[in-house]
Amino acid sequence: QLGNGGGGNAVGTLLGWGSFPAQTVPIQVMENVVAVSCGIRHTVAIQADGSLWAWGDSSSGQLGNGIMEADSLRDPIQTPVKVLEEVAVPGNAQSLPATVGTFTDVLETDFFAAPVEWAVENGVTSGTSATTFSPGNTCTTAEILTFLWRASGSPAPEGANPFSDVAESDFSYQAALWAYENGLVSGTALQGSAPCTRADTVTYLWKLAGSPAAPAASFTDVPAGADYAPAVAWAVDQGVTSGTGEGSFSPDNTCTRGEIVTFLYRGLGQ
């Protein structure tokens, strides 16, 4: 019933795990599941896009995939198989939230739905694949600088490469040089694979806007003398962010791809 593709002896194959003992910790089988139901030896699940998937024993045709095999108890369908499209969540008979574009992991009800749509339409990013945006993935420094560069029209940098850790073959090469020329970053090492923090994000946007002055923001975790304090104040004044709640800004929290495009949408797209 686990549906993770495992196989082995009779019981292990039935569980989709492959061996004794039974698995005692959660295993991710599918993403974006909004409803699930388990039979004695089979499981069905509905994804956010309305598709119905099934796996396990099909000896009595219970999977609904048109296959009925007497020996499937010992050799069940081990990974999810799509059975239907556009079904409704059991119990409420309502349509599922629509997805944004071709992304199965971005729903129209997500806070980052409009920002993702804006980012794709304006060439800021095309997602991590044709069908995924990966909004929960941590955004790196190289990624956000590339997003900012593209949102600014992808201008060609004019100077030499100042970074010892940025190669011309890197996807962020031109973005990194552009960011350096425009004062968004400095030094001789970009550290592009480092996670981008909330403080980093608002600082990049603030510098890109010309480092304007703004009324001081009141957060318990943003010291008045912090180098990012003016950027935080500007971000709050411009409606880019209002903090993380309870008087906190959480400057060191890393940002996800969904959060980053939301910041960029509010700071550049509206």
Side-chain angles (χ1 to χ4, degrees), residues 142 174 187 200 231:
Q174 292 194 72
D200 293 334

Side-chain angles (χ1 to χ4, degrees), residues 140-260:
T140 66
T141 297
E143 286 176 320
I144 186 174
L145 293 180
T146 301
F147 292 166
L148 289 168
W149 173 65
R150 290 172 180 167
S152 299
S154 304
E158 299 176 356
N161 181 7
F163 301 116
S164 60
D165 57 352
V166 176
E168 190 171 354
S169 58
D170 293 342
F171 77 89
S172 58
Y173 176 74
Q174 292 194 72
L177 271 60
W178 167 84
Y180 181 86
E181 291 177 1
N182 285 273
L184 274 63
V185 294
S186 60
T188 58
L190 182 68
Q191 297 181 327
S193 61
C196 183
T197 67
R198 287 173 54 83
D200 293 334
T201 303
V202 295
T203 299
Y204 295 146
L205 286 168
W206 174 65
K207 288 181 176 179
L208 195 59
S211 304
S218 179
F219 292 111
T220 58
D221 55 357
V222 179
D227 57 359
Y228 55 82
V232 171
W234 170 83
V236 172
D237 185 60
Q238 295 297 310
V240 175
T241 179
S242 58
T244 54
E246 299 182 354
S248 298
F249 180 76
S250 306
D252 296 326
N253 281 14
T254 56
C255 293
T256 64
R257 287 171 51 85
E259 291 169 333
I260 288 295

Side-chain angles (χ1 to χ4, degrees), residues 41 56-62 67-76:
R41 297 186 177 91
D57 174 25
S58 64
S59 60
S60 299
Q62 56 266 58
I67 299 175
M68 186 168 65
E69 299 177 348
D71 63 348
S72 68
L73 175 60
R74 297 184 59 85
D75 187 18

